[in-house]
Amino acid sequence: MATVEGVGGPIDADQLGLTLIHEHFFSSDEAVSAQWPHIRDRETERGLAIESAKAVASHGVKTVVDATAMMLGRDIRALQELVEETGLQIVACTGVYTYDHLPNYLAFRGEDAMADLFVHDIEQGIQGTEIKAAFIKCAADEPGVNERVEKVHRAAARASVKTGVPVMAHSRPASNTGPRQVEILLEEGVPPERIQIAHTGDTDDLDYIERLLEMGVYIGMDRYGLNIFLPTDRRNATVIELLNRGYAERMFLSQDFDIPIAAGLDWYPPEVIEQLEASGASGGWSMTLLFEEILPALKEAGATDEQIETMMVENPKRWLTP
Ligand SMILES: [Zn+2]
């Protein structure tokens, strides 16, 4: 039986069950919060995480894939405590989340040194624990696939080839990053079915999306509720059209819900969060939006239970297991 490394220990692939493929329980600007810990309110963060974990479990979710890597404030002990407290299965990652900047330690070393760090998390454990990473995160955004971003992608790919764990690449369709990201990962030898291009659902440009799908990768329709990037009705229409074109086996549904960002705990000052909420930009963003609004709407538009099961149970299992 294939297993997937979870925060609470290895999980039988068949026990992953209903899975949210891309969410964030704890995230922060780690450099700032290491230097000025007084800006963090860890008790509030912990309470909100427990609340969200219980809420998703009440909708039948068995596993949440937490896509929080370095520079998003990955905190494996906080996740461990959350798993112990709630019984939810959580899958953690290694990798670097950057659009451009790299800390000097990584800037002055090559791809292989970075890949070795990722392999350490996958084979030995994360942050001094024995909890192992089950996938590797990299990112490209508005600055495009620049030199630093390419380096992280090559390092992620090499660690993936060495260990067999999959790669999740944060992308920005509006900057056309996806095709180049896939190209680099393929060049380094990652099989397409181990690659997930996150945030592809931020566009409804079907030509762009099909170009990615034709390369054989998975795509994340994973930012439901972030109307600031694309409103729900256009996300739904895109998913329905792709289902009609036969791509159920290549799509993930999730929300990229980030508790600290949603609660204004770290990235943004409170007045920015208030503005976002007032403009409706976050559109009811939550970790349960899929179950409350999106899945019923998709079914109404013709998605079958079987297709939803494929996207939320079978695809996560297939992508996470070799
Ligand atoms: Zn994310």
Side-chain angles (χ1 to χ4, degrees):
M1 161 80 66
T3 60
V4 174
E5 291 294 341
V7 171
I11 305 165
D12 284 342
D14 286 338
Q15 299 302 313
L16 288 167
L18 188 63
T19 299
L20 289 170
I21 202 75
H22 191 139
E23 312 293 339
H24 302 272
F25 282 107
F26 301 96
S27 66
S28 63
D29 188 307
E30 62 203 25
V32 173
S33 67
Q35 297 304 327
W36 296 285
H38 70 276
I39 64 164
R40 297 282 299 278
D41 179 353
R42 288 180 187 271
E43 259 324 290
T44 300
E45 290 176 30
R46 192 171 156 271
L48 291 169
I50 290 171
E51 207 177 285
S52 285
K54 288 183 173 166
V56 294
S58 77
H59 287 282
V61 171
K62 294 279 178 284
T63 305
V64 174
V65 175
D66 190 300
T68 310
M70 177 185 169
M71 289 167 81
L72 267 177
R74 182 182 62 162
D75 183 345
I76 201 67
R77 287 180 181 83
L79 286 180
Q80 183 177 29
E81 209 181 273
L82 184 60
V83 165
E84 283 164 5
E85 185 106 13
T86 64
L88 185 70
Q89 298 179 138
I90 297 178
V91 172
C93 67
T94 185
V96 177
Y97 177 85
T98 185
Y99 303 164
D100 194 347
H101 170 79
L102 280 178
N104 286 341
Y105 185 95
L106 299 176
F108 295 129
R109 285 170 175 77
E111 290 88 348
D112 288 328
M114 201 188 299
D116 286 347
L117 296 173
F118 300 161
V119 169
H120 172 92
D121 285 359
I122 296 159
E123 293 182 344
Q124 311 295 318
I126 299 169
Q127 295 169 344
T129 70
E130 290 182 356
I131 299 168
K132 297 180 179 71
F135 67 103
I136 308 163
K137 180 92 181 279
C138 53
D141 204 273
E142 208 164 358
V145 184
N146 56 43
E147 203 182 315
R148 272 79 55 205
V149 162
E150 178 169 344
K151 183 168 164 179
V152 177
H153 280 63
R154 292 199 183 278
R158 288 176 200 181
S160 168
V161 167
K162 181 143 190 249
T163 59
V165 307
V167 177
M168 176 194 284
H170 162 115
S171 72
R172 186 172 194 268
S175 303
N176 192 35
T177 64
R180 179 63 186 144
Q181 291 175 277
V182 176
E183 200 172 73
I184 294 169
L185 297 169
L186 293 178
E187 258 172 38
E188 293 283 342
V190 183
E193 68 274 13
R194 310 299 283 152
I195 299 171
Q196 172 183 167
I197 302 300
H199 314 330
T200 303
D202 280 353
T203 184
D204 54 2
D205 177 347
L206 288 161
D207 292 337
Y208 171 89
I209 295 174
E210 274 201 311
R211 206 145 38 101
L212 292 178
L213 288 166
E214 279 161 11
M215 296 166 104
V217 302
Y218 287 95
I219 56 171
M221 314 307 272
D222 52 11
R223 277 180 153 176
Y224 269 106
L226 281 170
N227 290 351
I228 192 169
F229 299 117
L230 195 71
T232 294
D233 54 341
R234 289 169 66 187
R235 290 181 189 272
N236 282 345
T238 308
V239 168
I240 292 293
E241 179 56 27
L242 291 168
L243 287 175
N244 291 340
R245 294 187 190 184
Y247 291 118
E249 292 188 355
R250 284 286 172 242
M251 285 191 278
F252 295 113
L253 303 180
S254 210
Q255 296 135 149
D256 195 18
F257 184 67
D258 188 312
I259 294 170
I261 289 179
L265 288 175
D266 192 310
W267 281 27
Y268 300 112
E271 59 274 20
V272 173
I273 297 287
E274 273 164 35
Q275 277 168 15
L276 278 172
E277 280 167 358
S279 69
S282 63
W285 196 36
S286 81
M287 219 180 271
T288 53
L289 180 68
L290 273 175
F291 308 100
E292 285 151 6
E293 282 182 34
I294 307 305
L295 297 181
L298 289 175
K299 283 189 202 178
E300 177 89 27
T304 66
D305 288 336
E306 198 191 335
Q307 286 172 326
I308 287 166
E309 164 128 356
T310 298
M311 294 187 282
M312 300 198 68
V313 178
E314 295 305 319
N315 294 350
K317 183 165 82 175
R318 232 182 309 111
W319 178 71
L320 280 166
T321 51

